[in-house]
Amino acid sequence: MYSIEGLIPKVPQPNRGYLPISEFKQIKFTDGKYLEEHENLSPLIMSMAIDRLVSYMITKDIDEVFSVSLKGARIADVNGLDGALYDAYNLCDSIRGLDIESINSACKLVTFNVWVKSFKNASKTVSYKDLIINSYTNFNIKVMVERTLKFFEEYGPVIANDYDFGKGYTRLVNHGLGDYLTVKSIVDLKILKSNPNKSHTLRVLLHYVMGKHSGKEIFKGVENICIFNPRLNILYIKPVNELEDDLIEIVEEDLLCYHDDIFI
């Protein structure tokens, strides 16, 4: 059994992928802002912090947005990182918006996620106590969150985030969540220095097909699959009516195995 993320590297895609990024229309946004050099956080922590801050600014539900981080802090607390859960709740309390303290706290909070997703490696990763976020990194995170929120103002509103796929799971792919869903679009948020690759496009394609099989009303109005990259401030958008029937069949039959009639 796989998660959606776990399945993707196992799929032997064609050289350019089942859905090449060249088939997506690119829309470049301008905001007059330029990102600073000399970031001092890993791309993973940056990505998680930006995603969580976007979710928080949309929902204002701090406990739900950082639920994985709080779960990780609870695990860390009982496995030798004394005071982790107490500190995690204090970090949550300090998040109010996109000020310096809020951004720094979000970056520290997401370091707890590893305790949930990769427990064996958790003790080897950087601790929230040792995390220092320089001013360049803080500024860049703020700009990228603001770009994403602006994008959703124009192409939203967001009707669901961190959403599940209901009846769309199978015995092969039995867990995994989507990023953002608007009335008309499935949107993946990717913080990248270059164009998305074939793994990224396959992920959003899987989300679309699983949404079709989910039995959920929220997917019935989907007209586009999208990837938004706030680092480059570019939207990659593909109308679903342009997806070939053969491609959808490959995803349904060969990748997700719906032909076995094994919905769970």
Side-chain angles (χ1 to χ4, degrees), residues 16 32 36 71 78 89 142 151 192 225 243 246 255:
R16 295 172 62 241
E36 300 283 355
K71 182 179 180 180
V78 298
Y89 276 111
K142 181 178 181 181
F151 161 71
L192 307 166
I225 52 175
L243 297 172
D246 289 349
L255 304 190

Side-chain angles (χ1 to χ4, degrees), residues 144-172:
M144 285 188 271
V145 172
E146 289 174 338
R147 286 174 175 177
T148 306
L149 294 172
K150 181 67 175 175
F151 161 71
F152 282 127
E153 283 181 16
E154 190 169 340
Y155 284 83
V158 173
I159 60 172
N161 71 299
D162 300 333
Y163 55 85
D164 66 70
F165 294 95
K167 297 178 181 179
Y169 298 105
T170 68
R171 288 182 191 169
L172 182 65

Side-chain angles (χ1 to χ4, degrees), residues 96-147:
R96 298 173 298 276
L98 296 178
D99 57 280
I100 292 173
E101 184 181 10
S102 295
I103 292 172
N104 289 350
S105 295
C107 292
K108 292 179 179 181
L109 262 173
V110 298
T111 64
F112 289 115
N113 289 23
V114 68
W115 289 89
V116 177
K117 299 182 177 181
S118 183
F119 177 79
K120 292 181 179 179
N121 298 318
S123 61
K124 304 174 187 177
T125 59
V126 63
S127 167
Y128 70 101
K129 294 179 179 180
D130 300 323
L131 204 67
I132 299 173
I133 302 97
N134 67 27
S135 59
Y136 306 111
T137 306
N138 192 289
F139 173 82
N140 286 358
I141 290 173
K142 181 178 181 181
V143 169
M144 285 188 271
V145 172
E146 289 174 338
R147 286 174 175 177

Side-chain angles (χ1 to χ4, degrees), residues 224-242:
N224 308 293
I225 52 175
C226 305
I227 298 172
F228 180 66
N229 180 3
R231 185 176 286 282
L232 300 181
N233 212 6
I234 294 177
L235 167 66
Y236 306 83
I237 184 169
K238 174 81 170 177
V240 297
N241 62 12
E242 295 180 2

